[in-house]
Amino acid sequence: MNPKSVVSLLLAVVAAPLPLPGGPRVGVLLMDRDLFWAAAGRGAEDAGRATGAEVVLKAPTQANALSQQLQLLAAFEGERLDALVIGPLTTEEFRQPISRLKAKGVKVVVLERPLPEGLGNVFLGYNQAEMAATAVKVFAGMVQDGDEAAMLRANSLERVTVRERTLMNDFKKLRPKSVLHAEIMVGATKGDDFEQCLRLLTAHPNAKAVCTPFSACSMAMIRALRERHLAGKMGHLAFGSGLPPEAEQALAGGAMQAWIAQRPWSFGYKGVQAAVDLVNGKSLPATVDVDYVVVTKDNLTSPEAQALKN
C-alpha cells in the first residue's frame, strides 16, 4: 500500500464515530408508577437490555406529583446522560430544566404529553383525538338518543384532557338529546378509584352506559358494576393497559362492551429505542404514533387481542 493510501485510511479511522463504551446512558422519567406507567417502565428496561443502553428509571411515587417529578428531573441534571425519555405531567414547568439538558447535548424523547415546540427531539404518543373519536362511536352505540350516560374524569393537572374533551364533544354530536354526566373525578387521592366509581353509580342510577377513560378507574368500575349487580345491565366502555384478566373476563361475560387497549410496554420500549437511535445519529420523524386496539367480545380471541396479554 502506498503512503498516501495509508494516510487516507488512518484519517478515515480517526474521523469515524466511536461506539459508546457500554452503550448510551438513558434516563427515563415517567409520570407515576401505577398500571400504565409501570408497564411502560418494564418496556423501557427491556429496550435497554435489547439495545445495550444503560437505562436509569425514575418516577414519582404517586399520581399527579408535579413537585416530585421536577425534583427527579433536577437529579437527572446532575448525572451524566446521553438521552432523556420523559412523560411530563405538565408543559411549561419543564421548559427550563429540559432546555438545560439539551444545551449539554442530551437527546430528548417526550412521551404522552407534548412539550413546547423545540424542547423534544421526538414526541411519541397516542393520537388522543383519533383514539377517543373511535371509542365514542362505540360508546354512543350503547345508548339511544335521550338516554343518560356517565363518564368518570381524571383529576388532571391540566384540567380537561384531549381524550376527555373529544369524548364529551363527539358524544353530544352523536347523541344530541342525551346527557353525558362528567362531573365526578378520580385521582384526587391515591386509590380513590373504586370509591368514585361507586359515587358515580349512586349519583346517576338512570345512566344506560358508563365510560372510564383511564386504566385505574376502568379496573375499579369492573368491580363496582359487579358489586352493584349492574354488570351486563349497564353498558361499559373502558380504556386500559394491555388486556388484564379482569377485562378479558368482563368482555367474555358481557359485563363490558369495549376495551380500548393501549400498549404501555411498547410505549416504553419504543421511547428508549428512539432515544438510542438519536444518540447513534439516526434521523427520526418528529412524531411517532403508538397504536391501540379496540377489543370487543367479537374479536376477543383474535391473535391481535390475545397478544395484548403479553
Side-chain angles (χ1 to χ4, degrees):
M1 183 179 293
N2 63 53
K4 288 185 178 180
S5 298
V6 173
V7 172
S8 297
L9 178 60
L10 288 173
L11 287 173
V13 171
V14 171
L18 295 175
L20 292 167
R25 194 168 195 267
V26 180
V28 178
L29 180 54
L30 305 178
M31 291 189 184
D32 55 53
R33 301 182 184 184
D34 290 341
L35 294 172
F36 181 94
W37 291 106
R42 292 192 294 273
E45 291 173 334
D46 287 346
R49 286 186 281 271
T51 61
E54 179 189 354
V55 171
V56 183
L57 183 65
K58 299 180 188 289
T61 55
Q62 61 188 38
N64 291 329
L66 176 60
S67 61
Q68 190 178 155
Q69 194 182 39
L70 287 169
Q71 289 172 4
L72 294 172
L73 181 57
F76 269 138
E77 286 192 73
E79 302 178 20
R80 181 191 66 80
L81 288 183
D82 298 297
L84 174 70
V85 178
I86 181 169
L89 280 165
T90 59
T91 55
E92 286 300 324
E93 287 82 356
F94 290 83
R95 183 187 291 274
Q96 291 187 4
I98 290 181
S99 294
R100 290 192 294 267
L101 284 168
K102 287 197 71 178
K104 295 178 182 179
V106 176
K107 305 297 183 184
V108 178
V109 177
V110 184
L111 305 179
E112 183 71 4
R113 176 175 282 117
L115 289 173
E117 187 175 353
L119 280 187
N121 297 96
V122 172
F123 171 70
L124 192 147
Y126 295 102
N127 185 326
Q128 295 288 352
E130 176 196 287
M131 181 167 59
T134 298
V136 76
K137 290 175 184 176
V138 179
F139 186 55
M142 298 179 190
V143 300
Q144 301 296 317
D145 206 9
D147 286 343
E148 291 183 38
M151 182 181 83
L152 277 170
R153 287 186 45 218
N155 183 40
S156 170
L157 288 172
E158 294 195 325
R159 301 180 183 176
V160 182
T161 66
V162 171
R163 185 186 302 178
E164 292 170 336
R165 187 181 302 111
T166 303
L167 286 165
M168 291 187 286
N169 290 345
D170 284 16
F171 183 85
K172 187 63 179 177
K173 293 175 185 175
L174 293 167
R175 293 291 181 217
K177 296 180 181 179
S178 292
V179 174
L180 178 62
H181 302 286
E183 80 285 4
I184 296 177
M185 297 189 182
V186 297
T189 59
K190 187 174 177 63
D192 69 349
D193 303 273
F194 180 66
E195 175 187 332
Q196 295 299 83
C197 286
L198 292 177
R199 182 182 168 202
L200 180 144
L201 296 177
T202 299
H204 305 296
N206 296 321
K208 302 297 183 183
V210 61
C211 173
T212 49
F214 304 92
S215 294
C217 64
S218 292
M219 301 302 290
M221 184 59 76
I222 292 172
R223 176 186 165 198
L225 289 170
R226 185 174 63 247
E227 292 202 6
R228 288 290 176 89
H229 305 291
L230 292 171
K233 298 177 183 178
M234 179 183 288
H236 185 197
L237 179 138
F239 288 72
S241 302
L243 184 61
E246 297 89 340
E248 185 176 23
Q249 292 164 12
L251 287 165
M256 180 193 295
Q257 283 61 53
W259 175 258
I260 313 302
Q262 299 161 92
R263 293 182 166 117
W265 179 92
S266 177
F267 203 83
Y269 191 98
K270 289 182 176 181
V272 168
Q273 192 174 51
V276 172
D277 285 345
L278 288 170
V279 172
N280 289 334
K282 292 186 179 179
S283 178
L284 298 177
T287 299
V288 177
D289 285 342
V290 180
D291 57 343
Y292 60 92
V293 181
V294 180
V295 186
T296 65
K297 187 174 183 178
D298 291 339
N299 69 346
L300 182 59
T301 59
S302 69
E304 184 181 35
Q306 290 298 302
L308 293 165
K309 296 192 291 187
N310 299 328

